[in-house]
Amino acid sequence: MNSPIPLLATSLLALFSLLNWCAAAPHPDGELTIEVVDSATGQPIPARIHLSAGRQTPVPAVGKAHPKRSVKLMLPGAAEFGGHFYIDGKAKLPLKVGQYTFELEATPEYLNETGQFEIERHADDSKRVEMKRVVDLAKEGWYGGDLDTNRNAKDLPLIERAEGLKVVPNIDTKKTPDDMPADIDGHLIARTPYAWDLPVWLTGGKLAAIELIHRHSLRNGVVDNENDGRPRDKTLFPGQRGNGRWSETVYYHVLDCGFRLPPVAGSGSGANDNPVGTNRVYVHCGSEFSKEGWWEALQAGQVFVTNGPLLRPTVEGEPPGYVFHTDASHPATFEIGLNLATRVPVEYLQIIKNGSVDAEVRLAEWKDKKGKLPPVTFDASGWFLVRAVTSNPQMYQLASTGPYFVEAGDQPRISKKSVQFFLDWITAAEEHLHSLPNLSADDLATQLAQQDMARKFFAALLARANAE
């Protein structure tokens, strides 16, 4: 499959929100009417705006750029939150005298636009911003969702349109603690891959999906801990990318135990300052969208997750989640077709096979080969997926397809190493339970019994393992 060369936006301005500054005094000094339109059609489109007081200042040779103050406007109906708000095509902004920097986003399908303006006393100015669309995912049958939000319900219709999302369920965080799966429309979603009770949830067979990119991944950084689950070994998973790499590692062990759970994503918007859709899952539904069809396709694994690039694969014309049945006596080779669009520089593309890197391709090489990736070959059951990783130093920014599965002789791959990974996890979870100071004796006994059931399940799975 030939693929378009990725479209890269110009460098984004570094915006900071160290404190809120109320620019909308009862008697503003001036007004700016801002209009956001599609560059091709000229039609108004909703968008998210990050507005800061002060001009952009150069980054010093040593140290950080001077912080700017995020502007809080309290505009009716603007779904204002966490240093950003939404414009439904056109809005009048009451502002104090001064200089301003803005960044506009109209879904990941448009290039971001940044700029500056100045408000003088009694100003009544206007600014028209044209947003350039680089891809139309709905025309390709892909529809987005964010499965971890807790926002004001009345704001969601505008937010969904501005973010290009179709499924944004609100999670009641009072009823769903961070260390519990969320029940969304009857689907249990693990909100991180490293929750202490993940082996217990896997044993029960009720999980529908696992958030591969989750609320620890922020718009401009990362929550660098696992206080809501089993902590990573920082010697193996160091730095700002460690949390994301640990999340992937756990998820790959899930797949290597034979569980066919799709990856999903959630921003945690409301529990943190992320905009809705900072982390999102796209589901391939075909030509028509319905929420029922979206969830059905998600459960079938027809997904990719992202906090940056837009990565859409096909293998023999099939979306992710497909199971290829092969003859165990002959190797099977698969060609991966890939479409990629991104506003941020992608460092490399990788094919992950059975939890390890099977091939790595730099973006320039991929473009030179007109969008072709190396073939992947199986002589036994297994799985594979594609991921694209950006060069963002502040966070682990990536896109990952859902896995494809290969069954040789109708036997799924079950790895001894991955099953043992979860048996060791259960032992660590029991030690963790004993260390909790406020856990009653009855609760401790109940939870230890659940861990014991999980141990028996994985011990039986280990006896069936067919791969190292």
Side-chain angles (χ1 to χ4, degrees):
M1 169 186 288
N2 292 337
S3 304
I5 294 176
L7 297 168
L8 301 180
T10 56
S11 298
L12 303 181
L13 295 174
L15 299 178
F16 298 85
S17 301
L18 298 185
L19 54 91
N20 285 331
W21 178 62
C22 186
H27 302 288
D29 297 321
E31 293 182 329
L32 174 73
T33 299
I34 187 166
E35 184 180 12
V36 186
V37 300
D38 183 292
S39 63
T41 66
Q43 294 299 308
I45 57 173
R48 171 171 24 99
I49 183 168
H50 297 256
L51 185 62
S52 298
R55 289 288 190 187
Q56 171 73 6
T57 55
V59 178
V62 178
K64 298 181 179 179
H66 298 295
K68 280 185 276 310
R69 299 169 291 183
S70 63
V71 177
K72 192 171 184 180
L73 295 176
M74 302 299 292
L75 292 174
E80 190 167 351
F81 178 83
H84 63 270
F85 58 94
Y86 292 88
I87 293 174
D88 197 359
K90 187 175 183 179
K92 183 173 287 189
L93 311 182
L95 298 166
K96 295 174 68 175
V97 165
Q99 298 172 329
Y100 296 86
T101 299
F102 71 87
E103 181 177 4
L104 275 168
E105 296 190 33
T107 86
E109 301 177 36
Y110 286 84
L111 298 181
N112 288 2
E113 292 291 335
T114 59
Q116 300 173 339
F117 61 88
E118 184 172 354
I119 290 292
E120 298 179 348
R121 195 169 300 278
H122 307 303
D124 187 7
D125 297 331
S126 63
K127 190 172 189 68
R128 176 184 170 97
V129 182
E130 295 187 354
M131 308 291 287
K132 183 179 179 181
R133 181 186 282 275
V134 297
V135 65
D136 191 336
L137 293 187
K139 286 186 177 179
E140 299 179 17
W142 292 96
Y143 297 90
D146 179 342
L147 299 187
D148 186 9
T149 63
N150 183 24
R151 296 289 297 273
N152 192 323
K154 70 179 179 59
D155 292 338
L156 285 179
L158 173 58
I159 291 173
E160 289 173 359
R161 289 189 293 112
E163 299 291 355
L165 297 170
K166 287 290 191 179
V167 179
V168 185
N170 254 343
I171 295 174
D172 187 340
T173 54
K174 293 181 180 179
K175 295 181 179 179
T176 309
D178 291 349
D179 59 352
M180 292 296 295
D183 187 348
I184 304 173
D185 297 334
H187 301 86
L188 282 181
I189 309 295
R191 293 155 75 190
T192 68
Y194 49 78
W196 275 114
D197 281 343
L198 179 65
V200 174
W201 301 341
L202 292 171
T203 301
K206 295 181 179 179
L207 277 186
I210 296 176
E211 283 190 22
L212 182 61
I213 309 177
H214 46 81
R215 59 173 58 193
H216 281 242
S217 177
L218 306 178
R219 182 174 181 266
N220 289 309
V222 64
V223 178
D224 191 17
N225 64 58
E226 291 78 42
N227 294 339
D228 48 351
R230 188 181 185 190
R232 72 188 193 266
D233 182 340
K234 291 192 176 182
T235 62
L236 298 176
F237 304 95
Q240 295 293 87
R241 294 186 172 191
N243 179 272
R245 292 290 199 190
W246 174 230
S247 297
E248 278 187 323
T249 297
V250 175
Y251 177 64
Y252 294 166
H253 279 299
V254 170
L255 297 177
D256 239 9
C257 284
F259 297 102
R260 291 179 179 172
L261 292 175
V264 294
S267 66
S269 183
N272 56 34
D273 285 346
N274 270 343
V276 173
T278 297
N279 312 320
R280 55 181 66 199
V281 55
Y282 283 95
V283 179
H284 192 265
C285 300
S287 58
E288 294 187 5
F289 170 81
S290 69
K291 284 194 174 180
E292 295 78 9
W294 191 90
W295 280 107
E296 182 178 343
L298 184 149
Q299 293 246 241
Q302 298 173 191
V303 305
F304 74 87
V305 295
T306 183
N307 58 1
L310 302 175
L311 186 70
R312 296 97 66 209
T314 59
V315 178
E316 297 186 5
E318 301 293 345
Y322 192 80
V323 180
F324 295 100
H325 295 275
T326 64
D327 185 341
S329 62
H330 296 90
T333 298
F334 301 94
E335 300 282 347
I336 303 172
L338 191 68
N339 285 309
L340 171 67
T342 180
R343 302 182 301 195
V344 288
V346 167
E347 190 173 357
Y348 53 79
L349 296 164
Q350 289 180 330
I351 299 172
I352 306 299
K353 174 185 174 182
N354 299 337
S356 300
V357 176
D358 188 62
E360 179 172 302
V361 179
R362 295 288 161 172
L363 198 65
E365 180 184 354
W366 176 74
K367 290 192 292 185
D368 289 344
K369 293 184 177 180
K370 302 187 184 301
K372 291 184 178 180
L373 290 173
V376 58
T377 299
F378 288 81
D379 55 11
S381 296
W383 57 270
F384 65 98
L385 57 80
V386 180
R387 71 181 176 197
V389 179
T390 79
S391 54
N392 190 332
Q394 297 180 338
M395 59 189 293
Y396 189 38
Q397 190 174 36
L398 76 155
S400 174
T401 73
Y404 290 86
F405 300 95
V406 178
E407 275 195 8
D410 295 325
Q411 291 295 320
R413 172 184 168 86
I414 302 175
S415 161
K416 295 178 183 177
K417 179 181 176 181
S418 291
V419 176
Q420 188 61 53
F421 174 84
F422 285 112
L423 285 169
D424 295 341
W425 186 302
I426 292 164
T427 299
E430 290 171 334
E431 294 173 356
H432 171 70
L433 287 170
H434 281 292
S435 73
L436 296 177
N438 298 320
L439 196 63
S440 70
D442 287 345
D443 286 343
L444 175 61
T446 298
Q447 295 193 40
L448 288 175
Q450 293 174 343
Q451 298 295 333
D452 187 56
M453 289 180 61
R455 176 178 283 106
K456 292 175 180 176
F457 174 90
F458 280 95
L461 193 62
L462 185 62
R464 295 164 40 212
N466 54 17
E468 293 300 318

